[in-house]
Amino acid sequence: MSERERLKQIILELSYEKRLVKLASGRESDFYFDGKQTTLHAEGGFLVGKLFYEAIKDVEGVEAVGGITLGADPIATATSIAAHLDGKNMHAFIIRKEPKGHGTGQWLEGRKNLPPGTKVIIVEDVVTTGGSSMKAVRRAEEEGLKVLGIVTLVDREEGGRENIEAEGYWLRTIFTKSQLVS
């Protein structure tokens, strides 16, 4: 079984649920992908890091990967480790949902690895409309980073790609909903 097929199996076993839920986008859906169940699983997290790295290793100049806590945290770390194992420096960073309430009051964790102009890729566990992705892009750019594009574990195929591309960014997916379930 390929690493991609094994990751698909883990996602379907741990992250996919057929039930009525309200999504971050505000929409209701009859299915849910809880990406963290896969990205925090030992083998799942390992495979996520490898496949995210494979998806971006050809991107010219990428220096770091990150996104909005909490979904992006294990993905960014796993991708950074996979890159390191391949001999490339690709740091991880975390964008807070609110600025730190004490100390420096910063929005970004991993800041010392990210000088102004650092070329980054935003990572996500799930994209629905692209709203969260674009929030991460805006925050990263406000912090002086240069966003190259976005990679997600699962694209729910509900307009996210179109919305992201309309803003001038590319979206790469590890899986689309239709590749996972029929």
Side-chain angles (χ1 to χ4, degrees), residues 46-67:
F46 171 75
L47 293 172
V48 162
K50 285 188 78 173
L51 292 175
F52 268 70
Y53 174 63
E54 286 296 318
I56 62 171
K57 72 179 186 179
D58 66 328
V59 176
E60 184 70 33
V62 62
E63 299 169 272
V65 293

mmCIF file of all heavy atoms in Angstrom, residues 46-67:
data_model
loop_
_atom_site.group_PDB
_atom_site.id
_atom_site.type_symbol
_atom_site.label_atom_id
_atom_site.label_comp_id
_atom_site.label_asym_id
_atom_site.label_seq_id
_atom_site.Cartn_x
_atom_site.Cartn_y
_atom_site.Cartn_z
ATOM 1 N N PHE A 46 2.983 11.516 10.646
ATOM 2 C CA PHE A 46 4.197 11.246 9.872
ATOM 3 C C PHE A 46 3.901 11.320 8.374
ATOM 4 O O PHE A 46 4.609 11.981 7.613
ATOM 5 C CB PHE A 46 4.740 9.865 10.258
ATOM 6 C CG PHE A 46 5.857 9.384 9.382
ATOM 7 C CD1 PHE A 46 7.132 9.913 9.509
ATOM 8 C CD2 PHE A 46 5.631 8.397 8.436
ATOM 9 C CE1 PHE A 46 8.170 9.454 8.701
ATOM 10 C CE2 PHE A 46 6.660 7.937 7.628
ATOM 11 C CZ PHE A 46 7.927 8.466 7.756
ATOM 12 N N LEU A 47 2.816 10.666 7.947
ATOM 13 C CA LEU A 47 2.449 10.653 6.525
ATOM 14 C C LEU A 47 2.011 12.033 6.045
ATOM 15 O O LEU A 47 2.332 12.437 4.923
ATOM 16 C CB LEU A 47 1.361 9.615 6.268
ATOM 17 C CG LEU A 47 1.796 8.160 6.469
ATOM 18 C CD1 LEU A 47 0.590 7.223 6.394
ATOM 19 C CD2 LEU A 47 2.882 7.763 5.482
ATOM 20 N N VAL A 48 1.302 12.762 6.894
ATOM 21 C CA VAL A 48 0.898 14.128 6.550
ATOM 22 C C VAL A 48 2.141 14.970 6.277
ATOM 23 O O VAL A 48 2.225 15.680 5.278
ATOM 24 C CB VAL A 48 0.028 14.750 7.663
ATOM 25 C CG1 VAL A 48 -0.041 16.265 7.557
ATOM 26 C CG2 VAL A 48 -1.383 14.153 7.628
ATOM 27 N N GLY A 49 3.125 14.903 7.163
ATOM 28 C CA GLY A 49 4.355 15.671 6.968
ATOM 29 C C GLY A 49 5.034 15.324 5.661
ATOM 30 O O GLY A 49 5.437 16.207 4.894
ATOM 31 N N LYS A 50 5.147 14.037 5.372
ATOM 32 C CA LYS A 50 5.808 13.610 4.133
ATOM 33 C C LYS A 50 5.044 14.085 2.904
ATOM 34 O O LYS A 50 5.644 14.576 1.943
ATOM 35 C CB LYS A 50 5.929 12.079 4.103
ATOM 36 C CG LYS A 50 7.010 11.538 5.016
ATOM 37 C CD LYS A 50 7.224 10.058 4.803
ATOM 38 C CE LYS A 50 8.052 9.825 3.558
ATOM 39 N NZ LYS A 50 8.427 8.412 3.378
ATOM 40 N N LEU A 51 3.729 13.924 2.901
ATOM 41 C CA LEU A 51 2.951 14.271 1.709
ATOM 42 C C LEU A 51 2.807 15.779 1.528
ATOM 43 O O LEU A 51 2.797 16.261 0.390
ATOM 44 C CB LEU A 51 1.598 13.562 1.733
ATOM 45 C CG LEU A 51 1.697 12.035 1.564
ATOM 46 C CD1 LEU A 51 0.340 11.373 1.727
ATOM 47 C CD2 LEU A 51 2.335 11.644 0.245
ATOM 48 N N PHE A 52 2.714 16.539 2.620
ATOM 49 C CA PHE A 52 2.711 17.999 2.496
ATOM 50 C C PHE A 52 4.062 18.464 1.951
ATOM 51 O O PHE A 52 4.119 19.309 1.064
ATOM 52 C CB PHE A 52 2.420 18.683 3.835
ATOM 53 C CG PHE A 52 0.969 18.969 4.089
ATOM 54 C CD1 PHE A 52 0.069 17.948 4.343
ATOM 55 C CD2 PHE A 52 0.490 20.269 4.087
ATOM 56 C CE1 PHE A 52 -1.263 18.211 4.584
ATOM 57 C CE2 PHE A 52 -0.844 20.548 4.322
ATOM 58 C CZ PHE A 52 -1.728 19.510 4.573
ATOM 59 N N TYR A 53 5.139 17.909 2.476
ATOM 60 C CA TYR A 53 6.457 18.287 1.980
ATOM 61 C C TYR A 53 6.592 17.930 0.501
ATOM 62 O O TYR A 53 7.074 18.742 -0.297
ATOM 63 C CB TYR A 53 7.568 17.637 2.819
ATOM 64 C CG TYR A 53 8.934 17.896 2.257
ATOM 65 C CD1 TYR A 53 9.431 19.198 2.172
ATOM 66 C CD2 TYR A 53 9.711 16.851 1.780
ATOM 67 C CE1 TYR A 53 10.686 19.445 1.625
ATOM 68 C CE2 TYR A 53 10.965 17.096 1.238
ATOM 69 C CZ TYR A 53 11.447 18.392 1.159
ATOM 70 O OH TYR A 53 12.680 18.639 0.614
ATOM 71 N N GLU A 54 6.154 16.750 0.121
ATOM 72 C CA GLU A 54 6.198 16.352 -1.296
ATOM 73 C C GLU A 54 5.418 17.337 -2.166
ATOM 74 O O GLU A 54 5.818 17.634 -3.282
ATOM 75 C CB GLU A 54 5.629 14.940 -1.488
ATOM 76 C CG GLU A 54 6.538 13.839 -1.019
ATOM 77 C CD GLU A 54 7.839 13.738 -1.795
ATOM 78 O OE1 GLU A 54 7.811 13.871 -3.036
ATOM 79 O OE2 GLU A 54 8.886 13.535 -1.165
ATOM 80 N N ALA A 55 4.314 17.855 -1.625
ATOM 81 C CA ALA A 55 3.464 18.773 -2.390
ATOM 82 C C ALA A 55 4.102 20.143 -2.602
ATOM 83 O O ALA A 55 3.711 20.866 -3.511
ATOM 84 C CB ALA A 55 2.109 18.935 -1.690
ATOM 85 N N ILE A 56 5.087 20.493 -1.757
ATOM 86 C CA ILE A 56 5.646 21.855 -1.842
ATOM 87 C C ILE A 56 7.146 21.908 -2.057
ATOM 88 O O ILE A 56 7.692 22.990 -2.235
ATOM 89 C CB ILE A 56 5.292 22.684 -0.591
ATOM 90 C CG1 ILE A 56 5.895 22.058 0.674
ATOM 91 C CG2 ILE A 56 3.788 22.862 -0.483
ATOM 92 C CD1 ILE A 56 5.787 22.920 1.913
ATOM 93 N N LYS A 57 7.821 20.780 -2.072
ATOM 94 C CA LYS A 57 9.284 20.832 -2.155
ATOM 95 C C LYS A 57 9.780 21.442 -3.448
ATOM 96 O O LYS A 57 10.917 21.911 -3.516
ATOM 97 C CB LYS A 57 9.904 19.466 -1.887
ATOM 98 C CG LYS A 57 9.722 18.444 -2.962
ATOM 99 C CD LYS A 57 10.409 17.153 -2.544
ATOM 100 C CE LYS A 57 10.379 16.135 -3.649
ATOM 101 N NZ LYS A 57 11.065 14.909 -3.223
ATOM 102 N N ASP A 58 8.936 21.494 -4.468
ATOM 103 C CA ASP A 58 9.339 22.101 -5.737
ATOM 104 C C ASP A 58 9.023 23.592 -5.817
ATOM 105 O O ASP A 58 9.337 24.237 -6.817
ATOM 106 C CB ASP A 58 8.648 21.377 -6.894
ATOM 107 C CG ASP A 58 7.139 21.569 -6.889
ATOM 108 O OD1 ASP A 58 6.555 21.701 -5.787
ATOM 109 O OD2 ASP A 58 6.531 21.593 -7.974
ATOM 110 N N VAL A 59 8.411 24.151 -4.761
ATOM 111 C CA VAL A 59 8.059 25.570 -4.773
ATOM 112 C C VAL A 59 9.323 26.396 -4.545
ATOM 113 O O VAL A 59 10.010 26.234 -3.530
ATOM 114 C CB VAL A 59 6.993 25.906 -3.700
ATOM 115 C CG1 VAL A 59 6.722 27.402 -3.661
ATOM 116 C CG2 VAL A 59 5.704 25.131 -3.966
ATOM 117 N N GLU A 60 9.614 27.257 -5.483
ATOM 118 C CA GLU A 60 10.830 28.069 -5.441
ATOM 119 C C GLU A 60 10.858 28.987 -4.215
ATOM 120 O O GLU A 60 9.953 29.797 -4.013
ATOM 121 C CB GLU A 60 10.915 28.915 -6.722
ATOM 122 C CG GLU A 60 12.181 29.722 -6.848
ATOM 123 C CD GLU A 60 13.405 28.871 -7.112
ATOM 124 O OE1 GLU A 60 13.265 27.833 -7.786
ATOM 125 O OE2 GLU A 60 14.488 29.246 -6.630
ATOM 126 N N GLY A 61 11.894 28.840 -3.399
ATOM 127 C CA GLY A 61 12.158 29.783 -2.325
ATOM 128 C C GLY A 61 11.393 29.606 -1.027
ATOM 129 O O GLY A 61 11.594 30.391 -0.104
ATOM 130 N N VAL A 62 10.552 28.595 -0.910
ATOM 131 C CA VAL A 62 9.779 28.451 0.325
ATOM 132 C C VAL A 62 10.727 28.227 1.506
ATOM 133 O O VAL A 62 11.643 27.427 1.438
ATOM 134 C CB VAL A 62 8.716 27.328 0.222
ATOM 135 C CG1 VAL A 62 9.343 25.966 -0.005
ATOM 136 C CG2 VAL A 62 7.844 27.296 1.472
ATOM 137 N N GLU A 63 10.485 29.005 2.571
ATOM 138 C CA GLU A 63 11.363 28.953 3.740
ATOM 139 C C GLU A 63 10.654 28.492 5.012
ATOM 140 O O GLU A 63 11.308 28.138 5.987
ATOM 141 C CB GLU A 63 11.939 30.349 3.996
ATOM 142 C CG GLU A 63 12.766 30.882 2.835
ATOM 143 C CD GLU A 63 13.098 32.348 3.009
ATOM 144 O OE1 GLU A 63 12.274 33.193 2.579
ATOM 145 O OE2 GLU A 63 14.176 32.641 3.574
ATOM 146 N N ALA A 64 9.308 28.543 5.017
ATOM 147 C CA ALA A 64 8.581 28.172 6.234
ATOM 148 C C ALA A 64 7.155 27.781 5.888
ATOM 149 O O ALA A 64 6.615 28.168 4.849
ATOM 150 C CB ALA A 64 8.579 29.336 7.231
ATOM 151 N N VAL A 65 6.547 27.017 6.791
ATOM 152 C CA VAL A 65 5.152 26.597 6.661
ATOM 153 C C VAL A 65 4.443 26.833 7.981
ATOM 154 O O VAL A 65 5.011 26.653 9.050
ATOM 155 C CB VAL A 65 5.014 25.112 6.261
ATOM 156 C CG1 VAL A 65 5.522 24.869 4.854
ATOM 157 C CG2 VAL A 65 5.740 24.197 7.250
ATOM 158 N N GLY A 66 3.182 27.257 7.904
ATOM 159 C CA GLY A 66 2.423 27.471 9.130
ATOM 160 C C GLY A 66 1.015 27.889 8.807
ATOM 161 O O GLY A 66 0.615 28.000 7.646
ATOM 162 N N GLY A 67 0.264 28.111 9.859
ATOM 163 C CA GLY A 67 -1.121 28.521 9.702
ATOM 164 C C GLY A 67 -1.743 28.803 11.044
ATOM 165 O O GLY A 67 -1.053 28.884 12.073
#
